Amino acid sequence: MKVAILPVGQADVKTLESIQNGLREAFPETEVTVLENAMHVPKEAYDSSRRQYHSTKILSTLDLYSNKVDADHLLGVTGVDLFVPAMNFVFGEARCPGRAALVSLFRLRPEFHGKPADKKLFHERALKEANHELGHTLGLEHCQNPTCVMFFSNSIADTDRKQAKFCEDCHVLVHRALEK
Ligand code: ZN
Ligand code: ZN
């Protein structure tokens, strides 16, 4: 499959490249490119009372954008904080199955949680969330195995507990989806 990574607003190139390399390892025979021109964060997604961006609204913009991109899946990576109405925040959101996926880096930096900066940890977290959301685009649902990347992260501790990899069962599902 072909995956294109699209910066949504400002995103650090090193982080995008780190996600790119990690995705190549997680998904077999997959071509991953980083698009050079960022998409603006859609203004209509901003909720001024919450001071966060409505993730589903950005995802809708990515749906449209994905038609212009030569890739099976489009992964938006943004620095802004995301929410869906039923939750305080989300690390990301994706079509399940579908083409568009979105991850936020906002809550992945250790500094956000009052910890010292740690680029390696930050990049690991970003890859986990990217693998997770792309897993959704392939039709994978949440997995009950807390070490599987498809486990739902309700907090950063959940993200840190799980691996960047798919568990055996989910791995089979990824392969099946890619064979279609
Ligand atoms: Zn999920
Ligand atoms: Zn799993």
Side-chain angles (χ1 to χ4, degrees), residues 3-5 14 50 72 79 88 111 129-130 132 157:
V3 176
I5 299 174
K14 284 261 156 37
R50 297 183 60 134
D72 306 302
N88 290 334
E111 301 94 298
E129 295 310 324
H132 180 99

Side-chain angles (χ1 to χ4, degrees), residues 132-133 136 142 152:
H132 180 99
E133 298 307 338
H136 281 317
H142 286 145
F152 173 67

Side-chain angles (χ1 to χ4, degrees), residues 15 34 38 42 66 97 99 124 130 137-138 154 166 174-175 180:
T15 306
V34 177
S66 71
R99 296 184 71 191
E124 269 172 19
T137 66
L138 293 174
N154 207 7
F166 295 91
V174 167
H175 271 265
K180 274 184 201 156

Side-chain angles (χ1 to χ4, degrees), residues 143 145 148 150 167 170:
C143 179
N145 179 343
C148 173
M150 289 314 294
C167 74
C170 291

